Amino acid sequence: MLLKNKPESKGRGRNFIYPKKPSGRLYNYRKWVSYVLLLFLFSCPFLKLNGEQLVLLNFIERKFVFFGLIFTPQDFYLFALAMLIFIIFIVCFTVVLGRLWCGWACPQTIFMEMVFRRIEYWIEGDANKQKKLDEGPWNAGKIWKKGSKHFIFMIISFAIANTFLAYIIGSDALLKIITEPIAGHVSGFISIWLFTLIFYGVFAYVREVVCTVICPYGRLQGVLLDNQSLVVAYDFTRGEPRGRLQRNASVQKTGDCIDCGLCVQVCPTGIDIRQGTQLECVNCTACIDSCNEVMLKTGKPKNLIGFFNQDFIAERKPYKIGLKSYGYAAVLFVVLMVFSSLIYKRENIQTTVLRASGTLYQSRGTDKTTNLYNAELVNKTNKAVKFTFRSQDSNDQIDFIQHASVLPKEGTVHLTFFLVRKNNSVKKYKTDAVFEVVANGEILSTASTSFFAQTGK
């Protein structure tokens, strides 16, 4: 990776870059997209729908909530399928639009470029002023600016840590940690400050290293991208050979690139986009805005740096989506259809009925046969349900050994019972037995199993 400011350093063993404050049409679009995503991120744990927060990822209690739908451990296959859909979507998105996710929607980039760096610009000034301040002596002005900046960084990191925990343990549990005595929530208190320090370290010191070294997504570009993928790229066919603008020259013998270096100066990861597609590029489009500004001033066409594919730059082929992209899109569509079907068929009350192990059937008197069953009912809602458990065949009789009539919210109940059938209604050795869970006259769930009886009497 090329560093815009070689090896100026804010500390030993780490080269820091000082990106110039970006501006332009695309940067303004990014700001509004970031504001919407930040509002969504900070509000989801604290807004409720059907009595539950909008998004909950409680791995500790194995409870997941997405926009009112509660997913329990019994729905883990749905969660795994949703993760698969997300991965396929990212792959498909990358094949078509490159690493646009990183520059426009990734939380790391949004917080770094739209929150923390903007605070840094506000307090310390643009790139040259930041560099001069870091190289200068520790005086009252420097202490005040550095102290103010890092104090604000810590406050924002604290807010991010609390929001992060609200997604994991729930906003109600977080509120208890904050408002109740620390002695009752020591682990929660430690977790808040641990995550605060982690986020502070990431955004105050680690910064772009998360994108260029730690995050594996950028390294997948070499596998996922092809010549039809749209990426932020330099049109070297038009721009080369580079050369300073000669005002008095009658014939311009160089390309459109005047080698001003602004595209490098605004890059948040410190690369030179003119050297080709690089894994460090997060497609933030800051270089496009800066280059377009120069092109307008020099009277040349815009988009010397823009969204291009390699086929267009090298051979001027028109853009078209490749077959690989259609293949990924087809797979994504199929998986989405399967997922939608499973969600549609999903029941709020899940019922499982199994025959008691080690038993077959028992005769009751001369005209009846019984089978012993165990049933488990899982409530996937946040409301208790008063229910009736019955056989779908009205001629059947159920004798409970272990019984319950109320299914607690997000809880389970176990039933043990005999199913009693008259022998004259049994025509085969093995027949079906279907059970229903009914509440307020509505059938909430059904389960089927087998019923065994001796025939031929």
Side-chain angles (χ1 to χ4, degrees):
M1 182 185 78
L2 293 180
L3 293 180
K4 172 173 67 67
N5 298 295
K6 304 222 178 195
E8 286 87 11
S9 176
K10 292 184 179 179
R12 292 183 180 180
R14 167 72 195 281
N15 291 323
F16 277 77
I17 63 174
Y18 300 83
K20 181 180 175 63
K21 185 178 181 180
S23 62
R25 181 172 58 91
L26 292 175
Y27 181 70
N28 290 333
Y29 290 159
R30 282 180 63 212
K31 284 196 296 186
W32 285 108
V33 170
S34 299
Y35 295 154
V36 172
L37 292 177
L38 286 172
L39 179 63
F40 179 79
L41 177 71
F42 281 105
S43 62
C44 271
F46 305 101
L47 296 178
K48 292 186 180 294
L49 179 65
N50 297 330
E52 295 286 345
Q53 64 186 58
L54 283 183
V55 179
L56 176 66
L57 303 172
N58 193 333
F59 293 93
I60 301 173
E61 298 180 0
R62 296 177 297 172
K63 176 184 176 182
F64 306 93
V65 181
F66 294 94
F67 302 97
L69 286 176
I70 301 174
F71 295 90
T72 62
Q74 290 78 12
D75 297 317
F76 182 77
Y77 68 99
L78 291 174
F79 181 77
L81 193 58
M83 292 298 100
L84 178 62
I85 290 173
F86 178 73
I87 292 172
I88 297 174
F89 172 77
I90 290 295
V91 170
C92 185
F93 187 88
T94 303
V95 169
V96 178
L97 296 173
R99 206 176 174 182
L100 196 66
W101 158 271
C102 295
W104 289 69
C106 176
Q108 165 68 22
T109 305
I110 290 176
F111 278 114
M112 187 69 252
E113 303 304 320
M114 296 299 171
V115 179
F116 288 89
R117 282 208 198 277
R118 295 191 71 185
I119 292 171
E120 205 164 48
Y121 292 136
W122 173 53
I123 295 176
E124 297 184 355
D126 209 343
N128 291 332
K129 292 183 178 180
Q130 292 179 26
K131 177 181 172 184
K132 184 178 179 180
L133 182 67
D134 288 337
E135 294 175 345
W138 283 93
N139 52 32
K142 182 173 181 177
I143 293 173
W144 169 252
K145 289 183 178 180
K146 290 293 182 182
S148 301
K149 182 184 78 171
H150 287 282
F151 177 71
I152 296 175
F153 279 9
M154 185 64 75
I155 291 176
I156 297 175
S157 298
F158 181 78
I160 298 173
N162 279 270
T163 304
F164 178 78
L165 280 176
Y167 277 101
I168 301 300
I169 64 175
S171 56
D172 294 336
L174 177 66
L175 184 62
K176 290 182 180 179
I177 295 174
I178 296 174
T179 57
E180 294 180 1
I182 296 176
H185 305 281
V186 175
S187 60
F189 180 78
I190 293 174
S191 298
I192 290 175
W193 282 106
L194 178 62
F195 284 116
T196 297
L197 293 175
I198 290 174
F199 287 121
Y200 170 77
V202 166
F203 295 115
Y205 297 102
V206 181
R207 300 192 158 205
E208 73 282 345
V209 174
V210 172
C211 303
T212 60
V213 177
I214 299 174
C215 179
Y217 179 51
R219 302 185 182 278
L220 290 175
Q221 288 188 98
V223 178
L224 299 176
L225 298 183
D226 55 27
N227 289 340
Q228 284 80 40
S229 301
L230 282 176
V231 295
V232 173
Y234 166 66
D235 187 354
F236 58 82
T237 304
R238 174 186 154 195
E240 300 295 326
R242 306 175 206 167
R244 296 290 181 179
L245 189 63
Q246 303 293 328
R247 293 185 179 180
N248 298 324
S250 57
V251 179
Q252 183 74 21
K253 297 181 179 180
T254 60
D256 283 354
C257 179
I258 64 173
D259 204 19
C260 63
L262 281 177
C263 57
V264 184
Q265 294 176 32
V266 297
C267 180
T269 58
I271 65 170
D272 188 343
I273 193 65
R274 297 171 297 180
Q275 294 188 355
T277 302
Q278 298 156 68
L279 65 87
E280 294 90 352
C281 178
V282 295
N283 284 18
C284 69
T285 68
C287 54
I288 298 178
D289 280 330
S290 62
C291 186
N292 283 344
E293 186 177 335
V294 173
M295 292 297 102
L296 287 174
K297 290 180 180 179
T298 56
K300 297 179 180 180
K302 296 194 300 182
N303 294 330
L304 177 59
I305 301 174
F307 284 101
F308 304 120
N309 58 25
Q310 292 302 315
D311 282 349
F312 173 80
I313 295 175
E315 305 174 25
R316 285 303 189 260
K317 290 183 179 179
Y319 172 71
K320 65 177 182 178
I321 298 177
L323 291 177
K324 184 165 68 172
S325 303
Y326 285 113
Y328 284 127
V331 173
L332 178 62
F333 177 77
V334 171
V335 179
L336 273 173
M337 291 300 294
V338 172
F339 182 76
S340 301
S341 173
L342 293 174
I343 289 293
Y344 178 76
K345 294 179 179 179
R346 176 181 178 272
E347 297 177 324
N348 288 329
I349 307 297
Q350 180 176 316
T351 305
T352 304
V353 180
L354 298 173
R355 288 175 49 82
S357 60
T359 64
L360 188 56
Y361 63 87
Q362 302 84 35
S363 297
R364 180 174 292 187
T366 59
D367 62 340
K368 296 179 182 179
T369 301
T370 66
N371 282 201
L372 180 62
Y373 297 95
N374 293 313
E376 181 185 53
L377 281 64
V378 180
N379 186 358
K380 299 178 181 179
T381 71
N382 59 358
K383 295 180 181 179
V385 177
K386 188 174 182 180
F387 70 96
T388 301
F389 186 85
R390 71 187 186 190
S391 173
Q392 194 176 69
D393 189 341
S394 59
N395 294 320
D396 290 341
Q397 175 186 340
I398 294 181
D399 292 342
F400 287 100
I401 298 173
Q402 182 180 355
H403 184 45
S405 60
V406 177
L407 185 55
K409 66 175 185 178
E410 301 171 24
T412 62
V413 296
H414 294 85
L415 308 176
T416 303
F417 60 92
F418 285 103
L419 177 63
V420 184
R421 279 184 174 175
K422 294 182 179 180
N423 292 336
N424 58 14
S425 66
V426 179
K427 305 302 181 183
K428 296 187 296 183
Y429 172 71
K430 179 181 178 181
T431 56
D432 292 332
V434 181
F435 301 95
E436 298 174 339
V437 178
V438 183
N440 298 322
E442 179 184 359
I443 299 174
L444 302 181
S445 178
T446 61
S448 60
T449 184
S450 299
F451 183 90
F452 293 94
Q454 184 176 357
T455 59
K457 289 185 178 181

